[in-house]
């Protein structure tokens, strides 16, 4: 018998599990992947203080701590439905059906696709898939690749691929169409990159980001952005080139790339071919809320948080009784924020099981989330705090309008 | 390959052009676009193309609400054997 089931064993799920177990709760953790750690597993980067953040080590530490606390893990177990019956959650998986009174969804995020002609060829993968192959399975996705889509995630993974000895021809934009939209617009992309420029080891980029605080300078920045790109970790970042096609007979053989105007329009006659044996597409992350959606939990679209997020409060409760959320399902942020949210969710669940005197701890944990967010090295969206405030406002509006859903 | 022939929904083989034409002709919401073209209604349950169908509707179709999910999720959200679905499995 358990007190809580946690779906997802990433930083949020594991931290929540540990918190619950420390409060004496029986905890089950379910994850569809074969290893615990979630997206934490793929992370590998140098921190501002010069030490390396190795996601595999971080995952192992959390997992070991959880196992020592007696937490039960069900890995390689896919949840395909959840249902509430007689005030208990039924969690249907491809292995068995579980029941619980408290359910935490820590399902993280998924990658958004970027359609490019030829993108269904074998050898085309999401940038996250290339990261998992390289950092988790230690298999090279190919010898030479190109990354389509320039954002925080793709530039970090480009560096990791390089560390693993995989050649990256460049990072370029996708061709502009009704789906790629802003991700194909040089100025919009530059805009979103400016706030992560401090990560760039290139002083040109750092200096550039200071100069480009206003719109006029940004316009100039895009206009004068070098045709051959700016190099980060020795990889050219091509803000003014777009991949217009991926070609190959049976599998990827290369891409056709063309120069684009500062508005993203292809300049005729500038096409050239680049031979590669794999292609990564990087459309960014969106919160994976499918299970929450099945419960009838209300959702709201919040651009700054990466898409539709289930309504929740600072205690990580949803309006659905006994349903909690933590981590990227609530909005796209880094692993440390996710872990801090996991702790909050764990304490809220412990409180719901009847434990007292957790108010102070819960208050501290909530503050910890805000502090972690403020000090985060990487912000996936510069306005993430405003997105968080929107959720709070929606939460209050929701309660002012109606009674709790049962 | 021309952009118009580009496949958006792999399960139901719906092209970019088909989605654009349908969204423009009928001024579709994401849901209507899905129902008219079958994009997102195949084996994977829209796991791959959902956000693209949403985006086409948003760009060239009708106004979408921010207050609810445009394309409904339905169980099973992962491919599952009939025997497991019916609870007759392990």
């Amino acid at each position: 018998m358990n007190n809580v089931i946690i779906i997802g064993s990433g930083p949020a799920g594991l931290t929540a599990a540990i918190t619950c177990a420390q409060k004496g709760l029986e905890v089950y953790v379910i994850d569809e992947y074969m290893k615990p750690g979630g997206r934490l597993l793929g992370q590998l980067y140098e921190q501002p203080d010069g030490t390396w953040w190795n996601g595999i080590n971080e995952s192992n530490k959390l997992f070991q701590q959880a196992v020592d606390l007696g937490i039960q893990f069900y890995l390689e177990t896919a949840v395909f439905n959840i249902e509430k019956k007689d005030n208990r959650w039924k969690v249907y998986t491809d292995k068995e059906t579980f029941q619980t009174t408290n359910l935490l969804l820590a399902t993280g995020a998924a990658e958004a696709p970027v359609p490019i002609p030829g993108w269904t060829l074998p050898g085309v993968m999401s940038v996250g898939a290339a990261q998992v192959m390289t950092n988790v399975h230690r298999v090279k996705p190919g010898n030479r690749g190109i990354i389509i889509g320039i954002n925080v995630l793709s530039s970090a993974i480009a560096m990791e691929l390089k560390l693993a000895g995989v050649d990256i021809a460049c990072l370029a934009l996708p061709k502009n169409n009704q789906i790629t939209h802003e991700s194909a617009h040089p100025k919009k992309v530059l805009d979103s990159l400016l706030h992560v420029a401090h990560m760039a080891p290139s002083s040109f980029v750092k200096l550039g980001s200071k100069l480009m605080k206003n719109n006029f300078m940004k316009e100039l920045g895009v206009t004068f952005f070098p045709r051959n790109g700016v190099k980060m970790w020795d990889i050219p970042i091509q803000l003014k080139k777009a991949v217009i096609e991926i070609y190959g007979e049976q599998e990827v053989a290369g891409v056709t790339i063309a120069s684009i105007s500062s508005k993203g329009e292809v300049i005729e006659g500038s096409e050239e071919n680049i031979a590669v044996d794999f292609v990564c597409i990087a459309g960014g992350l969106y919160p994976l809320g499918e299970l929450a959606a099945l419960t009838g939990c209300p959702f709201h679209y919040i651009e700054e948080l990466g898409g539709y997020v289930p309504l929740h409060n600072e205690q990580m409760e949803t309006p659905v009784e006994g349903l909690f959320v933590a981590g990227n399902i609530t909005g796209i942020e880094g692993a440390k924020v996710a872990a801090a949210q996991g702790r909050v969710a764990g304490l809220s669940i412990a409180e719901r099981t009847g434990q007292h005197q957790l108010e102070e701890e819960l208050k501290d944990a909530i503050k910890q989330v805000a502090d972690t967010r403020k000090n985060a090295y990487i912000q996936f969206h510069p306005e993430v705090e405003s997105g968080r405030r929107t959720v709070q406002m929606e939460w209050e509006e929701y309660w002012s309008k109606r009674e709790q859903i049962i | 390959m021309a952009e118009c022939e580009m496949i958006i929904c792999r399960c139901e083989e719906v092209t970019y052009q088909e989605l654009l034409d349908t969204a423009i002709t009928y001024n579709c919401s994401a849901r209507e676009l899905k129902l008219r073209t079958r994009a997102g209604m195949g084996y994977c349950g829209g796991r791959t193309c959902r956000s693209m169908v949403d985006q086409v509707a948003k760009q060239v179709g009708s106004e979408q609400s921010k207050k609810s999910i445009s394309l409904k999720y339905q169980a099973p959200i992962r491919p599952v054997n009939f025997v497991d679905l019916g609870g007759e499995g392990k």
Side-chain angles (χ1 to χ4, degrees):
Chain A
M1 197 49 221
N2 66 78
N3 305 112
V4 53
I5 289 180
I6 295 172
I7 304 175
S9 70
L14 286 176
T15 309
I18 291 166
T19 308
C20 287
Q22 284 168 341
K23 296 292 170 198
L25 273 60
E26 287 264 336
V27 187
Y28 287 5
V29 177
I30 304 174
D31 197 298
E32 62 186 335
Y33 201 55
M34 73 265 233
K35 292 180 183 182
R39 298 296 300 143
L40 192 52
L41 287 170
Q43 297 185 357
L44 184 64
Y45 62 88
E46 198 176 355
Q47 306 192 93
D49 63 3
T51 60
W52 281 79
W53 173 265
N54 181 338
I56 295 181
N57 294 346
E58 298 301 320
S59 303
N60 286 345
K61 268 191 260 173
L62 286 172
F63 180 56
Q64 198 49 56
Q65 199 184 344
V67 169
D68 292 345
L69 284 162
I71 293 164
Q72 290 253 27
F73 280 84
Y74 298 85
L75 299 173
E76 260 181 295
T77 304
V79 177
F80 64 81
N81 193 12
I82 52 176
E83 245 181 345
K84 201 171 195 189
K85 271 189 184 153
D86 309 322
N87 272 322
R88 291 182 66 77
W89 290 105
K90 285 188 93 172
V91 178
Y92 300 92
T93 79
D94 55 0
K95 301 273 166 55
E96 56 187 293
T97 303
F98 299 90
Q99 291 202 41
T100 189
T101 42
N102 297 294
L103 183 61
L104 170 62
L105 302 179
T107 46
E111 288 187 82
V114 181
I116 311 278
W119 77 310
T120 47
L121 281 168
V124 182
M125 64 192 81
S126 75
V127 76
Q131 184 189 39
V132 170
M133 281 176 83
T134 311
N135 294 358
V136 182
H137 302 293
R138 308 288 160 129
V139 174
K140 284 186 180 182
N143 292 313
R144 184 169 199 249
I146 184 167
I147 297 177
I148 306 173
I150 304 175
N151 53 46
V152 182
L153 186 69
S154 70
S155 18
I157 297 175
M159 187 271 293
E160 295 173 8
L161 288 165
K162 195 170 169 64
L163 274 178
V166 178
D167 188 19
I168 298 297
C170 66
L171 274 78
L173 296 182
K175 183 189 170 292
N176 182 26
N177 61 38
Q178 295 295 353
I179 298 173
T180 56
H181 199 57
E182 292 199 345
S183 66
H185 196 296
K187 185 158 167 281
K188 297 268 161 60
V189 174
L190 181 65
D191 229 355
S192 70
L193 282 178
L194 285 178
H195 66 279
V196 291
H198 62 281
M199 292 167 62
S202 145
S203 50
F204 173 82
V205 177
K206 276 187 194 164
L207 181 69
S209 76
K210 287 209 182 83
L211 290 174
M212 291 193 274
K213 293 290 182 212
N214 68 54
N215 256 347
F216 174 69
M217 287 305 288
K218 275 179 209 158
E219 205 70 69
L220 278 181
V222 174
T223 311
F224 292 114
F225 192 85
R227 270 281 161 226
N228 293 327
V230 167
K231 283 189 173 179
M232 265 175 152
W233 303 289
D234 231 18
I235 304 164
I237 311 277
Q238 304 283 16
L239 213 47
K240 291 177 86 171
K241 286 188 182 177
V243 174
I244 56 174
E245 188 184 358
I246 303 167
Y247 61 84
E249 283 297 319
Q250 300 295 317
E251 57 186 341
V252 171
V255 299
T256 306
I257 195 167
S259 292
I260 51 173
S261 71
S262 55
K263 290 196 173 64
E265 294 126 3
V266 172
I267 297 166
E268 297 252 353
S270 66
E271 297 88 352
E272 53 176 318
N273 289 345
I274 299 178
V276 290
D277 61 358
F278 75 102
V279 173
C280 297
I281 52 175
L285 299 166
Y286 67 89
L288 192 59
E290 42 193 357
L291 285 171
L294 293 179
T295 68
C297 176
F299 273 73
H300 206 86
Y301 185 87
I302 299 173
E303 172 89 43
E304 298 89 334
L305 299 180
Y308 288 102
V309 295
L311 199 58
H312 61 278
N313 63 8
E314 280 187 317
Q315 287 78 38
M316 296 292 141
E317 298 166 313
T318 72
V320 183
E321 209 190 333
L323 187 71
F324 299 80
V325 287
N328 272 359
I329 186 176
T330 73
I332 306 305
E333 293 194 72
K336 290 175 187 174
V337 174
Q341 289 178 319
R343 182 165 162 74
V344 173
L347 291 170
S348 290
I349 292 165
E351 199 168 49
R352 185 168 186 263
T353 62
Q355 296 210 16
H356 300 294
Q357 280 144 6
L358 291 177
E359 291 86 358
E360 277 306 305
E361 242 179 298
L362 198 50
K363 229 170 83 189
D364 283 349
I366 290 169
K367 188 174 174 297
Q368 190 63 41
V369 174
D371 291 349
T372 311
R373 178 171 298 132
K374 260 198 193 80
N375 299 322
Y377 182 45
I378 298 172
Q379 290 286 18
F380 283 84
H381 196 289
E383 300 300 328
V384 66
E385 288 186 8
S386 132
R388 293 291 173 194
R389 281 195 296 277
T390 308
V391 178
Q392 280 304 306
M393 275 159 46
E394 289 299 326
W395 173 268
E396 280 149 30
E397 195 189 316
Y398 178 84
W399 285 111
S400 68
K401 274 189 191 155
R402 55 194 294 181
E403 294 294 313
Q404 186 149 345
I405 305 171
I406 303 292
Chain B
M1 181 197 255
E3 187 168 58
C4 58
E5 295 162 28
M6 174 167 78
I7 297 281
I8 299 299
C9 172
R10 300 172 185 217
C11 304
E12 295 288 323
E13 297 188 5
V14 184
T15 63
Y16 177 59
Q17 195 64 47
E18 241 180 296
L19 285 171
L20 274 191
D21 291 346
T22 310
I24 291 167
T25 308
Y26 300 99
N27 190 29
C28 291
S29 66
R31 177 171 157 76
E32 186 181 349
L33 187 55
K34 174 183 95 166
L35 294 173
R36 286 191 182 274
T37 61
R38 288 201 56 82
M41 294 174 76
Y43 176 78
C44 83
R47 286 195 80 201
T48 312
C49 70
R50 168 185 292 271
S51 64
M52 296 185 284
V53 174
D54 252 346
Q55 186 69 12
V56 171
K58 189 173 153 197
Q59 291 305 321
V60 300
S62 62
E63 187 75 24
Q64 296 200 64
S65 163
K66 288 190 163 192
K67 301 255 176 190
S68 64
I69 289 185
S70 52
L71 295 169
K72 193 182 168 196
Y73 285 96
Q74 285 180 103
I77 58 152
R78 290 290 179 279
V80 59
N81 291 325
F82 272 121
V83 68
D84 294 326
L85 192 59
E88 299 294 317
K90 286 146 266 177

